[in-house]
């Protein structure tokens, strides 16, 4: 509001002699009023402009996070660490409600049905149909061929002679590293190498003293695919993992490939049993706990073996089995290859989806991608990379090698979770030693990693519980039982994750207790039990059951 120039009172009326006395007093009254309003309007304009003025002098805090890096550079991030941690927590904890886990179990059971009828890669029956009584006795040579180690052991089974005494004992064992040079051995050269190591073991004076001139009954735990043709034979399949032993030998009898070079060396051994590592774990645990019907392998990889009635599988699954076997077998050890199930069953996050999409075999083992030691560290790594870029973890600096796929190992996050000290000094040192930063990670940085790791591993334990519950439900239905009448069931457990990862087995057990109770079973119907040296003991037990 301004006064127009034409207004009498807007002019200097002292210069206008024609103004009357009345006019003079009117102007004396009005002009101060206009001056007042002009001052007020000017003040109001200044108030309207005040926020931008204050902002220019004292910038208001941004919703974005501002952090300085090691070089002193100030960076702005899209969100705070707490915001990102909250998102991770919501995504990883939301599926863990009991009702949701039960629904996942149901969907898994739906996926089992067609594979029990027809599949050559999962729900595979073995030739092992007898479970041990725990009374078997004898001395056996046990072979365990894994991805990085070949072990040869003399195992003594003494049965349940005295309460508290060990019924299984490794008398002597030799381990041989399988490095890249061994993996590169082609065809027969690999099995010649095996025979050489078997000779080294059986020629040991201590072993010769135990067995004398007798031939050792030998059991093999083979941690690779094999198409079994009998309890003691099977056709060699692609081993993967860089092994070249199958070149020129694909489909040949694994037992004969091992025994031929042993015979050339006149070794006192004979092959009695070939078994996979999951079945070996089940047998080894069943020898000590007769309620064992499952075995879980959860380390770098994942699998479950179950003891099921033969009628749970289609007759076509037993094509080629001897009639004598079919007449005797009411049950059979089944290699479920459970790692291959779970697509569209388990809720995933954007980090899980990225891992799957960039995998060399997307969707081939969806369950394994969510729970095994090969992948837990990678899921955490993907979250950390996002945290560095969007929330200023490590002050926005990506630690060494953290941009490389699978560089953040599950063993690292397990070790960091174990540090319960007030300042997390050990966890900080572990991370800095494996993924150095120019600026040492702060307590908050390491605390964030530990919390993310706990969320990822807890979800894995819960998903495993849902998988076990699904197989438990399959078994009790196949046996014509109900949850209430099924009784106690033990599960032999082997592998670095389920054995050694902090609280993993305990969390899985807690979810299992919840799920089985909700299903109508007695409390604590399933027990997760560690099966120590299960491959070695299981190979020996497999032979002993044949002699019973």
């Amino acid at each position: 509001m301004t006064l127009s120039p034409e207004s009498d009172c807007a002019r200097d009326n002292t210069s206008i002699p024609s103004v009357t006395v009345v006019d003079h007093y009117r102007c004396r009254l009005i002009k101060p009023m206009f001056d007042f309003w002009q001052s007020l309007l000017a003040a109001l304009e200044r108030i309207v402009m005040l926020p931008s003025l204050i902002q220019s002098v004292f910038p208001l805090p941004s919703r974005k996070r501002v952090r300085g890096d090691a070089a002193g550079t100030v960076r702005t991030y899209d969100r705070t660490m707490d915001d990102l941690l909250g998102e991770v927590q919501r995504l990883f904890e939301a599926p863990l409600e009991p009702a949701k886990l039960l629904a996942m179990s149901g969907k898994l059971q739906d996926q089992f049905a067609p594979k029990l009828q027809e599949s050559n890669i999962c729900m595979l029956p073995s030739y092992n149909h007898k479970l041990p009584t725990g009374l078997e006795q004898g001395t056996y040579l046990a072979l365990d061929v894994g991805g990085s180690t070949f072990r040869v052991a003399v195992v003594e089974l003494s049965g349940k002679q005295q309460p508290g005494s060990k019924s299984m004992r490794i008398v002597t064992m030799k381990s041989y590293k399988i490095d890249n040079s061994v993996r590169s051995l082609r065809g027969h050269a690999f099995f010649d190498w095996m025979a050489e190591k078997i000779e080294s073991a059986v020629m040991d004076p201590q072993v010769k003293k135990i067995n004398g001139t007798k031939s050792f009954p030998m059991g093999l735990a083979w941690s690779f695919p094999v198409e079994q043709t009998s309890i003691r034979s099977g056709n060699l399949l692609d081993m993967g993992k860089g092994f070249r032993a199958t070149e020129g030998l694909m489909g040949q009898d694994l037992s004969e490939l091992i025994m031929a070079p042993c015979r050339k060396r006149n070794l006192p051994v004979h092959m009695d049993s070939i078994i996979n590592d999951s079945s070996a774990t089940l047998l080894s645990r069943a020898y000590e706990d007769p309620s064992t019907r499952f075995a879980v392998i959860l380390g770098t990889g994942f699998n479950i073996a179950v003891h099921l009635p033969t009628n749970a599988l289609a007759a076509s699954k037993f094509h080629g089995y001897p009639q004598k076997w079919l007449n005797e077998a009411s049950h059979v050890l089944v290699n479920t290859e459970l790692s291959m199930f779970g697509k569209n069953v388990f809720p995933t996050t954007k980090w899980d989806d990225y891992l799957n999409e960039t995998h060399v075999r997307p969707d081939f083992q969806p369950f394994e991608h969510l729970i095994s030691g090969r992948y837990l560290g990678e899921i955490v790594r993907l979250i950390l990379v996002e945290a560095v870029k969007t929330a200023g973890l490590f002050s926005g600096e990506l630690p060494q090698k953290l941009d490389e796929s699978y560089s953040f190992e599950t063993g690292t996050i397990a070790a960091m979770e174990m540090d319960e000290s007030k300042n997390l000094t050990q966890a900080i040192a572990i991370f800095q030693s494996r993924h150095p930063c120019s600026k040492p990670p702060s307590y908050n940085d390491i605390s964030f990693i530990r919390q993310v790791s706990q969320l990822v591993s807890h979800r894995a334990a819960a998903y495993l519980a849902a998988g076990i519950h699904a197989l438990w439900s399959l078994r009790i239905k196949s046996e014509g039982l109900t949850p209430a009448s099924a009784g106690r069931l033990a599960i032999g457990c082997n592998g670095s994750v389920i054995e050694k990862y902090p609280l993993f087995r305990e969390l899985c057990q807690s979810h299992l207790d919840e799920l089985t109770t909700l299903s109508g079973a007695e409390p604590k119907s399933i027990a997760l039990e560690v099966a120590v040296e299960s491959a070695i003991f299981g190979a020996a037990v497999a032979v002993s059951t044949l002699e019973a």
Side-chain angles (χ1 to χ4, degrees), residues 96-153:
L96 308 191
E97 296 172 12
K100 292 180 180 179
L101 292 173
L102 277 176
M104 295 174 211
S105 171
K107 290 180 181 179
L108 279 174
Q109 293 171 59
D110 293 340
Q111 290 189 351
F112 295 160
K115 302 303 181 184
L116 289 164
Q117 297 300 307
E118 185 177 3
S119 173
N120 61 358
I121 60 172
C122 54
M123 293 298 179
L124 305 173
S126 67
Y127 278 79
N128 297 85
H129 63 89
K130 289 183 181 179
L131 290 178
T133 63
L135 302 175
E136 295 84 355
Q137 297 183 26
T139 303
Y140 307 94
L141 195 68
L143 312 179
D144 172 30
V145 181
S148 58
T149 310
F150 173 42
R151 299 188 299 165
V152 183

Side-chain angles (χ1 to χ4, degrees), residues 327-461:
N327 293 340
E328 290 180 0
S330 63
H331 289 72
V332 64
L333 289 187
V334 177
N335 171 15
T336 67
E337 291 295 347
L338 195 64
S339 66
M340 299 180 184
F341 291 89
K343 182 66 177 177
N344 298 323
V345 169
F346 297 108
T348 59
T349 67
K350 58 185 175 182
W351 303 290
D352 304 309
D353 296 338
Y354 179 83
L355 185 154
N356 180 60
E357 290 162 6
T358 56
H359 196 276
V360 292
R361 300 188 75 177
D363 295 330
F364 180 61
Q365 293 176 303
F367 203 160
E368 183 166 300
H369 290 179
L370 297 168
I371 72 170
S372 87
R374 170 68 172 157
Y375 302 107
L376 294 181
E378 177 64 3
I379 296 170
V380 174
R381 186 192 71 84
L382 291 171
I383 296 171
L384 297 188
V385 170
E386 180 170 331
V388 171
K389 294 178 179 178
T390 67
L393 181 69
F394 306 121
S395 299
E397 176 194 354
L398 199 63
Q400 282 186 28
K401 296 185 179 179
L402 208 63
D403 59 339
E404 299 175 12
S405 298
Y406 300 96
S407 61
F408 197 46
E409 298 179 356
T410 299
T412 300
I413 62 175
M416 293 176 68
E417 275 200 48
M418 288 179 188
D419 183 6
E420 296 294 341
S421 65
K422 183 178 179 181
N423 298 317
L424 300 179
T425 51
Q426 185 179 357
I428 291 172
I430 290 169
F431 184 85
Q432 183 72 352
S433 68
R434 300 178 189 183
H435 299 278
C437 304
S438 59
K439 178 183 178 182
S442 68
Y443 172 89
N444 288 338
D445 292 333
I446 297 303
S447 179
F448 177 85
I449 297 174
R450 291 177 77 256
Q451 290 179 82
V452 169
S453 300
Q454 287 164 357
L455 290 166
V456 172
S457 61
H458 185 179
R459 184 190 68 170

Side-chain angles (χ1 to χ4, degrees), residues 133-266:
T133 63
L135 302 175
E136 295 84 355
Q137 297 183 26
T139 303
Y140 307 94
L141 195 68
L143 312 179
D144 172 30
V145 181
S148 58
T149 310
F150 173 42
R151 299 188 299 165
V152 183
V154 175
V155 174
E156 184 180 84
L157 303 179
S158 57
K160 299 171 182 175
Q161 294 182 338
Q162 295 179 350
S165 63
K166 287 190 175 182
S167 56
M168 302 187 293
R169 182 171 73 97
I170 294 175
V171 179
T172 180
M173 181 165 67
K174 293 184 181 294
S175 296
Y176 306 98
K177 185 175 178 59
I178 298 178
D179 56 18
N180 286 332
S181 65
V182 176
R183 292 188 192 93
S184 299
L185 293 174
R186 301 185 182 190
H188 290 289
F190 177 78
F191 297 100
D192 290 338
W193 176 83
M194 281 185 63
E196 176 190 330
K197 303 309 178 188
I198 294 170
E199 180 178 34
S200 173
V202 299
M203 290 297 113
D204 183 282
Q206 184 183 0
V207 176
K208 292 179 75 173
K209 184 179 179 180
I210 292 169
N211 209 50
T213 58
K214 292 187 296 184
S215 178
F216 261 118
M218 191 161 63
L220 167 66
W222 185 255
S223 301
F224 303 94
V226 62
E227 181 188 7
Q228 284 205 257
T229 52
S230 77
I231 195 70
R232 59 176 52 84
S233 63
N235 297 329
L236 185 66
L237 300 177
D238 185 17
M239 296 170 68
K241 297 181 177 135
F243 282 85
R244 306 188 73 174
T246 57
E247 291 187 14
L249 302 179
M250 195 77 79
Q252 294 192 27
D253 180 19
L254 176 59
S255 177
E256 181 59 22
L257 289 170
I258 295 170
M259 283 305 303
C262 287
R263 285 194 296 268
K264 285 182 182 178
R265 296 169 182 270
N266 295 314

